[in-house]
Amino acid sequence: MANEDLGRTLRRLRRLASLTQEELAERSGVSVDVIRQLEQGRKHSARLPTLHALANGLGVELTTLLGDPPAVSSTGENDGPRFVAVRRAIMPALWGSRPEPPGPDFSMDRLRERIADGWTQYHSAEFDTAMEALPDLIADARAAAASGSDDARRSGFAALGKALQLAGHVAVRMGKTDLALISLERAIDAAEQSSDPLLLPMIVNSTAWTYQRQGRLEDALSIALRAADDMAGAGHTDTADGLKVWGALIMSAATSAARSGDYERAAAMMETAEKEAARVAKLPGGGDNRMVSVFSPSSVRIERVRLAVQYGHPREALALAEGMRLSKDTPPSWRTWLLLDVARAHTDIGDAAGAVKSLESLRRVAPTWMRHHTLAVAIVRDLWALPHHPPGLRPLAQFLGVSE
């Protein structure tokens, strides 16, 4: 993987983890000389297994080291006018005017539908579209929370919490994790004033994910497990929606455990989650799937594949992925990640033909996503460096600009 920013990113992540070059070398199994050359810019590339080992040593996702794909493909500007508008919506100007109650034409059902559409856009990686809608969504939800009756206010706060949660997710995708936490803290405040008992644990899960992105793995693990325990203790896992929220928290905790080096504990959590996911279809039906956590047998299996491949168990990942049938409610972004993880697992075991087959499928279902994804490019670069190219690799390399 060639990347002019690789050395700077590696140095920044190492310092955030409070590690010396020697300590990172010991944790990752990568020689201190290679780490030193990368950080000093004397070496601009590394093979995928080396990058994988460095990411594990740092306790971050591989994509964090490689650089996340741009969330806004049209301009690539993280602080363009649209994002400034999102900032202003999350943090209104100090001493500004208070929100006015909504007018007579306001519809809470319509507001919920618009927020649900925003989540659909987010899960489809349509970040531009979601970002454009967010300021109005948040403003309208703030107005709804200023309504006269108690019931209307609680419904408004529920909408505000969900809109601010969405803003937090978008901010993470833009690389603005501190702003994401501000948005999520305000979402938690709104959730506590709402009538939805599942909203708070859902936002806690988003906060845990943001902590993971910051390398705060112990914090992420702790709050996810605490929220899951609180849900179980309150009897909220007896409905389909409640079980989905609980399951998503357990999956989040498992991810934190794996990144902390305890893969066995993570695998055990995931096995428990997969067994519980089978109960979802047997419980009383829930509300709008777009407004609750993603949790199903398919999503748990996809996450198990991801953890297996990320933490050095590629054959286990392929065994888990074999013969999978995805449920209809599996978001497109999860499907694309599965194909990419399977390609990576094939690459790790030296099966170039299998990797190309998965990458060809990925190109068919998500060509734009693939073109901008640093990990997809890294895999194809590694395959292109092989002395013998399997059929189908050249078109992929040309599509991603690797063969140039």
Side-chain angles (χ1 to χ4, degrees):
M1 174 65 188
N3 186 341
E4 294 180 358
D5 296 324
L6 176 60
R8 288 195 295 270
T9 302
L10 176 60
R11 182 171 59 252
R12 177 176 60 82
L13 292 172
R14 177 178 60 77
R15 288 175 175 173
L16 284 173
S18 300
L19 296 173
T20 65
Q21 292 177 335
E22 290 76 15
E23 288 169 336
L24 177 57
E26 183 177 353
R27 283 193 180 195
S28 64
V30 176
S31 74
V32 69
D33 186 54
V34 168
I35 294 172
R36 189 173 293 121
Q37 288 184 51
L38 286 169
E39 290 193 2
Q40 293 175 353
R42 292 186 287 121
K43 183 179 176 67
H44 296 285
S45 64
R47 297 296 303 275
L48 198 55
T50 300
L51 296 171
H52 183 189
L54 287 170
N56 281 349
L58 292 164
V60 300
E61 292 184 34
L62 179 56
T63 50
T64 303
L65 179 58
L66 292 176
D68 286 321
V72 183
S73 57
S74 60
T75 66
E77 295 180 2
N78 278 12
D79 286 306
R82 287 183 181 175
F83 196 67
V84 170
V86 173
R87 283 183 181 275
R88 185 176 293 116
I90 293 171
M91 299 182 294
L94 294 175
W95 301 293
S97 58
R98 292 179 176 273
E100 295 289 336
D105 295 334
F106 172 77
S107 167
M108 178 57 73
D109 288 341
R110 178 57 189 148
L111 176 58
R112 290 195 190 100
E113 181 68 21
R114 288 163 54 207
I115 295 172
D117 287 343
W119 280 101
T120 297
Q121 292 154 3
Y122 171 82
H123 284 303
S124 299
E126 297 173 9
F127 301 115
D128 251 342
T129 307
M131 191 182 308
E132 186 176 9
L134 268 171
D136 285 343
L137 288 178
I138 295 173
D140 290 348
R142 286 193 198 280
S147 297
S149 71
D150 288 344
D151 288 345
R153 273 200 307 274
R154 283 194 289 268
S155 295
F157 276 117
L160 179 59
K162 203 64 187 172
L164 287 169
Q165 183 192 16
L166 176 59
H169 276 245
V170 170
V172 169
R173 292 300 183 189
M174 299 297 293
K176 311 293 187 182
T177 53
D178 287 336
L179 178 64
L181 288 175
I182 292 172
S183 190
L184 293 171
E185 286 174 2
R186 297 183 180 202
I188 287 172
D189 182 64
E192 289 174 338
Q193 300 179 71
S194 78
S195 54
D196 184 353
L198 301 182
L199 183 53
L200 177 59
M202 279 193 282
I203 298 170
V204 168
N205 197 14
S206 298
T207 305
W209 175 58
T210 309
Y211 283 162
Q212 289 172 7
R213 304 287 292 208
Q214 292 188 329
R216 297 170 58 177
L217 300 177
E218 290 184 9
D219 293 335
L221 177 63
S222 174
I223 65 170
L225 288 179
R226 178 178 174 181
D229 288 344
D230 287 348
M231 287 195 69
H236 290 316
T237 58
D238 294 334
T239 64
D241 282 355
L243 185 57
K244 288 178 182 179
V245 176
W246 175 89
L249 286 162
I250 295 299
M251 289 200 297
S252 178
T255 299
S256 296
R259 290 183 193 165
S260 300
D262 195 347
Y263 181 78
E264 291 185 3
R265 183 184 183 189
M269 287 182 184
M270 285 303 227
E271 288 177 9
T272 298
E274 190 162 11
K275 291 177 182 176
E276 289 297 307
R279 293 177 49 220
V280 170
K282 303 174 184 177
L283 292 173
D288 193 332
N289 281 332
R290 297 172 295 173
M291 298 285 270
V292 296
S293 302
V294 177
F295 183 66
S296 66
S298 295
S299 67
V300 179
R301 182 59 64 92
I302 289 171
E303 193 67 16
R304 289 184 68 187
V305 170
R306 180 179 299 179
L307 290 182
V309 73
Q310 283 184 349
Y311 298 98
H313 304 271
R315 296 188 185 280
E316 180 183 341
L318 293 173
L320 288 167
E322 187 175 2
M324 277 187 63
R325 297 184 63 182
L326 301 182
S327 59
K328 294 180 181 179
D329 60 348
T330 303
S333 58
W334 288 63
R335 297 170 186 263
T336 52
W337 266 110
L338 174 63
L339 289 169
L340 186 57
D341 286 333
V342 168
R344 181 174 163 192
H346 280 297
T347 303
D348 286 349
I349 66 172
D351 180 8
V356 167
K357 184 177 179 181
S358 294
L359 290 169
E360 288 175 331
S361 297
L362 179 58
R363 181 182 177 182
R364 285 194 295 271
V365 302
T368 302
W369 188 89
M370 180 183 183
R371 187 189 291 275
H372 290 287
H373 207 289
T374 49
L375 180 53
V377 175
I379 292 172
V380 173
R381 282 191 188 278
D382 267 21
L383 295 174
W384 191 250
L386 296 174
H388 303 291
H389 295 165
L393 179 60
R394 181 173 293 278
L396 288 170
Q398 291 173 341
F399 175 68
L400 298 178
V402 169
S403 61
E404 298 173 357

